[in-house]
Amino acid sequence: APDNLLNGHDVGAGKDPFEFRRRMLPEGSRLRRVLELAAEKAGWGKTLPAGHGRGIACQACYDSYNAQVAEVSVDQEGKLRVHRVVTAVDCGVAVNPDAVVAQMEGVVAFALSAVIKDAITLKGGRVEQGNYDDFRIVRIDEMPAVDVVLVPSAEPPGGIGEVGVAALAPAVTNAIFAATGRRLRRLPIRPADLRAGIPM
C-alpha cells in the first residue's frame, strides 16, 4: 500500500482524516470540540508500529455530540485487535457523570460486538438469534482500553443511551484502512477480508 495509506491519510479527500473532518465543522461547534478532544487524547498523528493504525469518526444525536478514535492492529494472518478507543462526549449537563462514563464504556462493548462478532440474520422471515447464547458479544480479553473524555458543559442535558454506537464502526474500519490500506465494506469484519488486503 502507498505510504499515505499507511500513515492514515484519506486518499479520497487527500487530507489527514482528522483535519479533513475538523475543517468541515464550524469553529466553536460542539461536534468540532469533541473531535478535537478525542484526537488530542488519542495522540493523533503520533507514529504507530507497523500493522497498527488509528481511525476517527464523529456523530451528533439526541442533542449530544461524540467523537471516537480507535487504535487497531492487523497481523499477517488477518487477526484484528482493537487496542484502544478514545471517546469524547458532550451531552450537556451531565447529571450523573459516572453513569455517563459507564454508559460510554458499555457503548464500546455493544458496538464493537456488532463490528467484529456476529450479525443478526433472518431465515424464513424471522430473526435467527434469540439471546446472547447465539449472538456473541466481546469478552473481557477482547475489550480495548476505553478512555472517556467528558466535556464540561452548561448546555441542557442531552441523551446518552445510544450516543457513540454509530461512530465506533467507522472509527475501527478507518483504523484498519490506516493500518492496511484496505477499505472494508461489510460488517461484521471477517479475518478473510483482512487477509486479502494485507501487504506482504
Side-chain angles (χ1 to χ4, degrees):
D3 286 344
N4 67 327
L5 298 185
L6 297 178
N7 290 329
H9 284 74
D10 188 316
V11 172
K15 296 180 175 25
D16 171 84
F18 162 63
E19 287 298 336
F20 175 66
R21 286 159 181 79
R22 182 175 175 271
R23 289 175 188 167
M24 290 193 302
L25 297 170
E27 191 169 341
S29 69
R30 294 169 73 185
L31 190 55
R32 180 166 168 167
R33 177 71 177 136
V34 293
L35 183 76
E36 292 169 341
L37 286 170
E40 179 185 344
K41 177 75 172 176
W44 189 269
K46 291 185 180 176
T47 303
L48 290 170
H52 287 243
R54 282 190 198 94
I56 193 165
C58 59
Q59 69 175 31
C61 63
Y62 306 109
D63 297 321
S64 293
Y65 303 84
N66 176 245
Q68 296 187 22
V69 175
E71 182 180 324
V72 310
S73 65
V74 181
D75 69 17
Q76 292 297 319
E77 283 71 50
K79 183 176 179 183
L80 169 67
R81 176 76 186 175
V82 181
H83 297 277
R84 182 181 182 210
V85 174
V86 175
T87 178
V89 62
D90 176 353
C91 60
V93 173
V95 177
N96 185 337
D98 288 343
V100 173
V101 170
Q103 185 71 36
M104 297 308 294
E105 292 168 340
V107 158
V108 170
F110 175 74
L112 188 57
S113 297
V115 172
I116 67 171
K117 287 295 193 181
D118 284 336
I120 297 293
T121 56
L122 300 173
K123 185 175 182 181
R126 293 178 178 250
V127 173
E128 293 185 286
Q129 294 74 25
N131 210 322
Y132 291 113
D133 60 336
D134 52 13
F135 182 86
R136 298 174 301 162
I137 60 172
V138 292
R139 298 179 182 271
I140 289 174
D141 64 334
E142 297 169 305
M143 267 298 287
V146 180
D147 295 323
V148 180
V149 181
L150 183 55
V151 177
S153 176
E155 297 291 335
I160 200 61
E162 292 84 4
V163 176
V165 172
L168 197 276
V172 169
T173 55
N174 288 338
I176 291 168
F177 175 69
T180 68
R182 182 165 180 80
R183 284 284 186 206
L184 300 181
R185 304 292 184 196
R186 65 179 179 175
L187 297 176
I189 296 167
R190 299 156 179 86
D193 296 337
L194 295 169
R195 283 194 298 270
I198 297 172
M200 298 297 187

